[in-house]
Amino acid sequence: MKSKNNKLMYVSAAVLAAGAVAGVNTQNAHAAEVQKQADKNAAQKTIDQNQKDLAQTQDQLTKAQADRDNAVRKNSDAQANVLTADSNNQSAQNVLANAQDQLKTAQVAQAKAQANYDASYENNVKSAQNDVNKANADVQSTQEQINVQNAKQAEALNNRQGQEDALKTNTETLNKTNEEISKTQGQVQQAQKTYDAVNKDYQPVKVELDKQAKEASDAQKAADENAKELAQAQNELKTAQDTANKSAETINNAQAKLNSDTNALNGAKTELSSKQKQASDLTSQRDQVAKDLQAAQNKMNAAKADSDSDKDAVVNTMVMPQVYKDTVKKWSTKDHTDDYYKEMEAASWIGWNQNEYKHNEAEKNHMVDLKHMSRADQIELNKFGINLINQLRSQIGVDPWIFNESALDFANAIADRYVKDDWDSDANHHDSEAINELAHQYGLNYGITSDGKYSKDSQYYEDLMTDRFGQTEIPFEQAKANADKFGNPYHYSDQELAYDTDNTYAHSKNDYNNRLDDMDHLKNQVYNAVKRFVFDYQEWLHADSILSQEMFSDAAKGKTYAAISFSAKPTPDHWGFDDLQLHFINVHESNVLDPKVFNVNANIPLDSHNSDASKQYSESLAQVNDLKAKKSNLDNQINGLTNDIKGLNTRISDLTKSISDTNKTLEDAKTTKADADKKIAVLPGRVKELKDKQASLDKTQSKAEADLATYQAKNKDLLAQFNAAKSNLDKLTAKLNDLNSAKSKAESAVTESKANLAKATSELSAISSRLDELKAKLSTAKTTKEQADANLAKAKAAYDEYVSTHKDVIDDLNKANSELADKTKAYNEAKEDAAKTDKEYQAAQDELTKLNNHIEDLSTAITNYESKIKQLNTTINKQKADQKRASLDAQINKALDNVSAPKHAATTTTGVQAGTSSSVASVGAVSTTQNGETLTNTVVRSNNASVLSPQTKKLVAQANASNNSLPQTGANDKLSVFAALAGLSLASLGLGSLVGEKKRKRN
């Protein structure tokens, strides 16, 4: 009722509005239209912003989902790293504890041996030896000091003699210098008289010489300046010509580069468009794969939850990768070349790593006697193993095996025969003769030779796995870690490391001797046997046998009766190992010759719930793994294309910038060439002008230089006399100055030599005194040394006597000390290893915690993004609906304005055709959807009356006749038109008719 009332209220408001329209003047109507348009623009702007936020949030969601997927993939590796690090740490801690116990034992033994040993004799020898060492050191030290002082005394004597010689030499030098100064002073006085006489005649001539020299210098300067300007002008001309030529070359190169870059840009844009389309297509594929992956994961989780509800809450599954199926199918009709073995090895390695046994802690306490296995234990192990095989068979579409009582009896008989024959299966493989004999007894087809004996060469029923009793391979990650830690001297491949590693027996020696093992470990061996059959790295005949994968295999369809039995070889095999043999027996219905002996109806049902759930889980897990690989491949392709697109965008940006830069270079080059051309037009005239001026200046310079030379020649003798007198005076004056300087230095040297001689004499006296003291000290030290030597000899004699009478005590102490040193070293090494492994474990745990926190943060972010997207979609849909309703309201009001005369009859014109009367002013259209068709109602406004289109008239008639019409049915045309259009408006908004039919309320 609420929905209906709202519709009626909307119509009532519209009626009132229609009645008021006629009273509104043109100016107010225009203002209303302007306001409506502004409101519409604002609403559209809000919608656009919300859509932009929606797109941004969707991008954030996609990135967060990708990040979470990547983090989840890493989580498995991180968990494995923690387990490996924890195992290594536990081992190191055990080694440390053992080393600590051994160290304590060695310390106790050493202390006991030390207590039995009388150390006083050894200590007396050490004390006497210390006294001897000290006395020897004193003698040696004193002698060394005497030697030093003797060397110093010799050096001091030499130094004093040197100072005496230096004083004599410096005194002689001073006397000689004084004599030379007296002689030179007289020569200076005579040279000064000669210079003064010649200088008197030289001064007038010098004035004229200076004048003419200046004139010659000025002429030279003017010529040089002009030559410089000429050279500059010539250089500017050459530079302008070079610039013009270079600019022309730049213009040509820039134009060529512009053309090349433009072509490259167009090519890059075309390539970018292609790459973007490829990326878009692959993204669509990836999104679909992601949806399929999520669905498969949901299905897998549901199957796992169903399986986990079982009593033991441990589900072991077998998954066959798609690549394995595809490779088998590819080679099913081809000869097996080297490529077959390479491809099967690669596909099997993927399967090997995808399948790992899950332990059941409760079953580790359930011990099984392999010599006297109970029927219940046999059935439990058979159901476990056959379920695993059927999981794989179901994934490739072949019929499942049937667990059968007769098959189990047949399998047990084979196992008993292996024990009876003490059969070495590791050396001789199948005991075919025994299997064929037993097959005959159980009413089955069997092999026979031409002489009527049971065949030893072949049999039809057994797939055999021989392993060491109580041992099975450790996980590959641990085997790899061990190889990395302890070395891999035989350079085993990863497949060999994974296939051939063994673990030690986990129970007591007594249990081992009686062939007792726990149920969990036996299931582990069954699991690994199936895993080895199917995902071997070098042969796949066993896989063909248990999976019936050959195209022409007769066991792929029909009933196959199966069972598994166990036998423990009574004696060691040819390698010296205790063998455990697992016999996988399958009997196809075509090999049953006597159903009375081999009862094909005595079937044991497998646990259907667990079987179905495990089957569903394994199939879903296989699909998840395949989809993950497919998604990863698409992700890699998308990432590659994304990088290509990024590179192309960069290239386009670079090319766009290059084109812009080249255009600038082109314009700059044109400008530069224009400037250079202007200079080329002017500079040749300037060069000619400077050349002419240079010739005149050269003549002036030559004349000035000739005049100077003539005057110098005229006064040649006087100039020579002046230069000679001046040179002699300058030379003697310099000599006198040098002699005075030498005198000062000689006086200083004499004073210094006297002081050095006095100092050397004093040092020599001090050294002689020190030598006397040291010689007295040496005599005393030698006497002390003689006494210490005597005491040491006495102590050694007493120690030797003790050693000879207590040899066993000393040997025990030496042995205890050596053992203590070894154990201390071992403990320190173990302590370092334990600290290292503990640090590695903590680091692995921290990394796992960090990754889990990251996954949780991403999950929270994804939830927030999804919530925001939902909110934005709701908001945008509501805004669009409001916008659409406002638009339709405007159309309704416009249509109502066109109806002015209630009595006017609607025309049958369907539109305004060519040739319509010129009185028609405008056409408005109202669209709606009715019965899946779009009807356009055209209202034609004229100067005199309003004309309704046939569609509108038809709608009005329908509205008046319909059970959905308003109470105003039968009123004037204007209200009828309004009612029809109001109904159309609500229908267009998805609100239904004004008065809904009763049957719709039931929905």
Side-chain angles (χ1 to χ4, degrees), residues 174-200:
L174 176 59
N175 294 334
K176 186 177 179 180
T177 301
N178 285 330
E179 293 175 359
E180 190 67 25
I181 287 174
S182 178
K183 179 180 176 182
T184 304
Q185 285 175 340
Q187 292 173 346
V188 170
Q189 291 174 0
Q190 183 61 40
Q192 183 66 49
K193 291 178 181 179
T194 302
Y195 172 78
D196 291 342
V198 175
N199 187 48
K200 183 177 180 182

Side-chain angles (χ1 to χ4, degrees), residues 965-996:
S965 64
L966 288 170
Q968 291 90 340
T969 300
N972 60 56
D973 287 347
K974 184 171 183 179
L975 291 179
S976 298
V977 171
F978 164 74
L981 293 177
L984 290 176
S985 174
L986 292 173
S988 299
L989 290 175
L991 300 178
S993 61
L994 295 179
V995 183

Side-chain angles (χ1 to χ4, degrees), residues 881-902:
D882 293 342
Q883 190 181 47
K884 186 173 182 181
R885 184 176 68 185
S887 176
L888 289 172
D889 286 347
Q891 294 179 31
I892 293 172
N893 290 332
K894 187 173 182 181
L896 290 173
D897 287 343
N898 292 335
V899 183
S900 59

Side-chain angles (χ1 to χ4, degrees), residues 150-192:
N150 285 331
K152 286 184 177 181
Q153 186 180 52
E155 183 181 354
L157 288 169
N158 291 333
N159 183 38
R160 186 177 67 177
Q161 183 61 47
Q163 296 303 327
E164 290 174 347
D165 294 342
L167 177 59
K168 180 181 178 182
T169 300
N170 291 334
T171 302
E172 292 174 352
T173 299
L174 176 59
N175 294 334
K176 186 177 179 180
T177 301
N178 285 330
E179 293 175 359
E180 190 67 25
I181 287 174
S182 178
K183 179 180 176 182
T184 304
Q185 285 175 340
Q187 292 173 346
V188 170
Q189 291 174 0
Q190 183 61 40
Q192 183 66 49

Side-chain angles (χ1 to χ4, degrees), residues 906-925:
T907 70
T908 59
T909 305
T910 60
V912 179
Q913 306 293 333
T916 305
S917 172
S918 61
S919 63
V920 176
S922 63
V923 178

